[in-house]
Amino acid sequence: MSFVITSACIHEQAGICVEVCPVDCIVFGDDQFLIDPNRCIDCGACETVCPVEAIYFEEEVPAKESASILKAKEFFGVA
């Protein structure tokens, strides 16, 4: 997995990340945007425009947000 959108997106949902993604790998899930790890090219465009700083590289996701990693993997069926 590459980039992960954390829970701060649940309350914001600005969608700017979707607009800047060059490979259309960001979709709206049940309650927030999620990044498809199978399509993401790790460009970081989404991370730089997020108004609430909800997007992290997987290895940098804060411990309190680790459930966001599992949420994205389950949504996209990634083991």
Side-chain angles (χ1 to χ4, degrees):
M1 182 167 276
S2 52
F3 284 92
V4 176
I5 300 177
T6 60
S7 66
C9 180
I10 293 172
H11 306 291
E12 176 60 36
Q13 301 176 5
I16 300 167
C17 56
V18 176
E19 297 172 19
V20 300
C21 180
V23 294
D24 297 322
C25 70
I26 303 173
V27 300
F28 194 79
D30 295 329
D31 59 358
Q32 72 176 76
F33 288 102
L34 299 164
I35 297 173
D36 184 342
N38 298 310
R39 297 184 66 192
C40 180
I41 59 171
D42 300 334
C43 70
C46 59
E47 181 184 30
T48 61
V49 299
C50 181
V52 293
E53 299 179 359
I55 304 173
Y56 296 86
F57 195 67
E58 181 178 7
E59 288 78 20
E60 297 172 357
V61 171
K64 66 180 181 175
E65 292 287 343
S66 62
S68 298
I69 298 170
L70 181 59
K71 183 178 189 175
K73 286 182 177 183
E74 287 177 349
F75 185 85
F76 293 106
V78 175

